[in-house]
Amino acid sequence: MRAIPRGGPSRRRSTLLPLIAGVSALAMTATACGGGGGESEDGVVELRFSWWGADDRHSTTQQVIDLFEAENPDIRIVGDYSDWSGYWDRLATSTAAGDAPDIMTQEERYLREYAERGALADLGEFDQTLDLSNIDPLIAESGDLDGRTFGVATGVNAYTIMADTQAFEDAGVELPDDSSWTWEEYVELAGEISEATGGDVVGTQSMAYNENGFQIFARQRGERLYNEDGSLGFSRQTLEEWYELTVELLDNGGQPSASESVEIEAGGPDQSVLATNTGAMAHFWTNQLGGLTASSGRDLELLRYPGETEEDRSGMFFKPAMFYAISSESEHPEEAARFVDFLLNSPEAAELILADRGLPANVDVRGQITDSLSEPDARSAVFLSEVEGTIVDGNPPPPIGAGEVVEITKRIADDLAFGDITPAEAAERFMSEVATATGSA
């Protein structure tokens, strides 16, 4: 997965201009509409809207488009979608060729890159068209850079621990009090479940594969994964302590072995210990509750992260599920802003989208659709409401190169689990490799 193509030692500071200049005259002629849209012969403004996802999302989005066009007959929206694996290559290529979609879906790991390269419009320029006043304040500035708004959150998620209540009951272990449990209790609880079941059901899935768990751990200590300027915002000691928890879980049998963890991680959520009924806890986003409930056939409980009351502050945060952004090259940015406003603020659109792009970022709309949500999504909405008052703040957009951190995290997690490196060595490697990937070394 990559964002706009880059090359050479100084690739991080390059702009779109050299890339566009390299596109042939023929290609530029074929894509003369710059922002991907234009005006048809009948005088209707035509805009392209890009997104990723499975068939269900495509079908739902087309229904939203049909609804918008019925209310706005002067605008036609053309869908431009693909699965996740192909989305970023397609977007990078079209942006470099000066043919970016008028409205695009962005993800936090890539938002800064597209914004810094001048590919995104400042949404603040459309304040007469695009109403952002009801966006959840905990994510309202999540798409802001240097005082400008380059993306607006579609919806919100939170990273949690999901617990299989039946697994706890079968092991004879009580669910923790997630309003006060500590990291030490989490490790002990996981080991206790594994021991009670003879290892047939492990206490928890490895938490070392996703940097968002560490993000919470660091925030609890007044640190963060990235600073506003994109530099690393945590200490080596904090990261070492995080990795030490994984070693403790391996030592007490609370999580799967190294080889088992590799297989589980490769299989994705459908092969997680929760989905396969082989574990009592795992770390997932709230919007994954529905899929995991269906896969497991079990009642899964959402739990706050351990340590939320153990340190000076809480660490959990609301993450934008994704962002809506407008191309800086769009020939019809005001019309594009009208469509984004509809996506964010229309109750009718929200009744179709529901929680597919996270629970709606517009807090008023979120409340209006609660009764229409599926049972798991409704429980996620309740959970988010319950933890909202404990969340201190959000996070700035990750730096350019943050997309590479996913694989860095996995490699180091594997080496740590197999005993090839110590927690101290894992921390040193992570900080070095991430700093290099993000250009902050």
Side-chain angles (χ1 to χ4, degrees), residues 169-214:
E169 183 177 343
D170 292 345
V173 177
E174 291 187 5
L175 281 170
D177 178 358
D178 72 333
S179 66
S180 61
W181 65 328
T182 66
W183 283 103
E184 181 180 1
E185 290 171 334
Y186 166 72
V187 172
E188 291 177 352
L189 192 64
E192 185 180 346
I193 292 171
S194 294
E195 183 177 1
T197 63
D200 291 337
V201 175
V202 294
T204 187
Q205 189 163 311
S206 173
M207 64 184 186
Y209 285 111
N210 194 308
E211 73 271 23
N212 288 293
F214 172 67

Side-chain angles (χ1 to χ4, degrees), residues 289 355 359 370-384:
L289 179 62
L359 289 165
T370 300
D371 291 342
S372 301
L373 294 172
S374 66
E375 193 273 338
D377 288 336
R379 289 202 290 120
S380 293
V382 171
F383 178 82
L384 292 178

Side-chain angles (χ1 to χ4, degrees), residues 55-384:
D55 290 343
D56 286 349
R57 177 173 295 164
H58 303 335
S59 175
T60 299
T61 304
Q62 188 57 56
Q63 293 178 58
V64 174
I65 289 173
D66 293 342
L67 188 62
F68 173 79
E69 290 178 342
E71 296 182 12
N72 299 269
D74 59 322
I75 301 176
R76 182 180 299 120
I77 305 295
V78 178
D80 180 11
Y81 55 86
S82 66
D83 60 16
W84 169 269
S85 61
Y87 181 82
W88 296 104
D89 281 336
R90 176 186 291 191
L91 185 61
T93 301
S94 63
T95 301
D99 188 37
D102 299 271
I103 308 104
M104 67 186 77
T105 308
Q106 276 286 340
E107 205 272 342
E108 67 171 7
R109 292 187 181 97
Y110 304 111
L111 183 70
R112 185 186 294 267
E113 179 167 3
Y114 278 78
E116 288 191 0
R117 292 183 172 186
L120 305 180
D122 178 5
L123 301 182
E125 296 177 356
F126 312 115
D127 56 347
Q128 299 301 308
T129 306
L130 177 55
D131 182 6
L132 303 180
S133 61
N134 287 323
I135 300 300
D136 191 321
L138 289 173
I139 56 166
E141 298 180 358
S142 56
D144 289 8
L145 288 167
D146 300 324
R148 293 183 291 172
T149 301
F150 294 104
V152 57
T154 64
V156 299
N157 294 321
Y159 204 54
T160 69
I161 291 181
M162 292 187 192
D164 181 337
T165 56
Q166 183 176 326
F168 271 82
E169 183 177 343
D170 292 345
V173 177
E174 291 187 5
L175 281 170
D177 178 358
D178 72 333
S179 66
S180 61
W181 65 328
T182 66
W183 283 103
E184 181 180 1
E185 290 171 334
Y186 166 72
V187 172
E188 291 177 352
L189 192 64
E192 185 180 346
I193 292 171
S194 294
E195 183 177 1
T197 63
D200 291 337
V201 175
V202 294
T204 187
Q205 189 163 311
S206 173
M207 64 184 186
Y209 285 111
N210 194 308
E211 73 271 23
N212 288 293
F214 172 67
Q215 170 92 298
I216 295 174
F217 189 79
R219 284 167 55 89
Q220 289 173 349
R221 287 150 180 76
E223 303 174 14
R224 58 175 58 197
L225 187 57
Y226 303 113
N227 292 318
E228 293 283 350
D229 62 1
S231 62
L232 301 182
F234 58 89
S235 66
R236 180 177 277 102
Q237 178 182 348
T238 295
L239 183 55
E240 185 175 342
E241 290 174 3
W242 171 253
Y243 282 132
E244 285 172 351
L245 291 174
T246 291
V247 173
E248 291 176 24
L249 286 166
L250 287 164
D251 289 344
N252 74 0
Q255 74 171 53
S257 68
S259 58
E260 290 170 331
S261 292
V262 169
E263 292 182 12
I264 291 169
E265 178 63 21
D270 287 343
Q271 294 302 314
S272 67
V273 297
L274 291 183
T276 57
N277 305 141
T278 56
M281 294 181 287
H283 303 239
F284 284 105
W285 295 101
T286 49
N287 70 324
Q288 294 176 292
L289 179 62
L292 287 164
T293 297
S295 298
S296 67
R298 299 280 186 87
D299 179 23
L300 303 180
E301 191 79 17
L302 293 170
L303 303 178
R304 294 174 175 85
Y305 245 60
E308 285 292 272
T309 58
E310 191 176 5
E311 300 291 339
D312 294 337
R313 50 162 279 170
S314 64
M316 291 183 66
F317 57 91
F318 281 177
K319 175 189 179 296
M322 53 191 82
F323 293 93
Y324 294 129
I326 295 175
S327 170
S328 60
E329 300 297 320
S330 175
E331 294 183 351
H332 299 281
E334 287 291 340
E335 287 83 355
R338 279 168 60 187
F339 182 57
V340 173
D341 183 80
F342 182 80
L343 292 170
L344 292 171
N345 300 322
S346 166
E348 292 78 17
E351 285 287 351
L352 292 169
I353 299 171
L354 295 176
D356 182 58
R357 287 178 164 88
L359 289 165
N362 182 317
V363 291
D364 289 344
V365 169
R366 189 188 306 168
Q368 293 175 38
I369 68 163
T370 300
D371 291 342
S372 301
L373 294 172
S374 66
E375 193 273 338
D377 288 336
R379 289 202 290 120
S380 293
V382 171
F383 178 82
L384 292 178

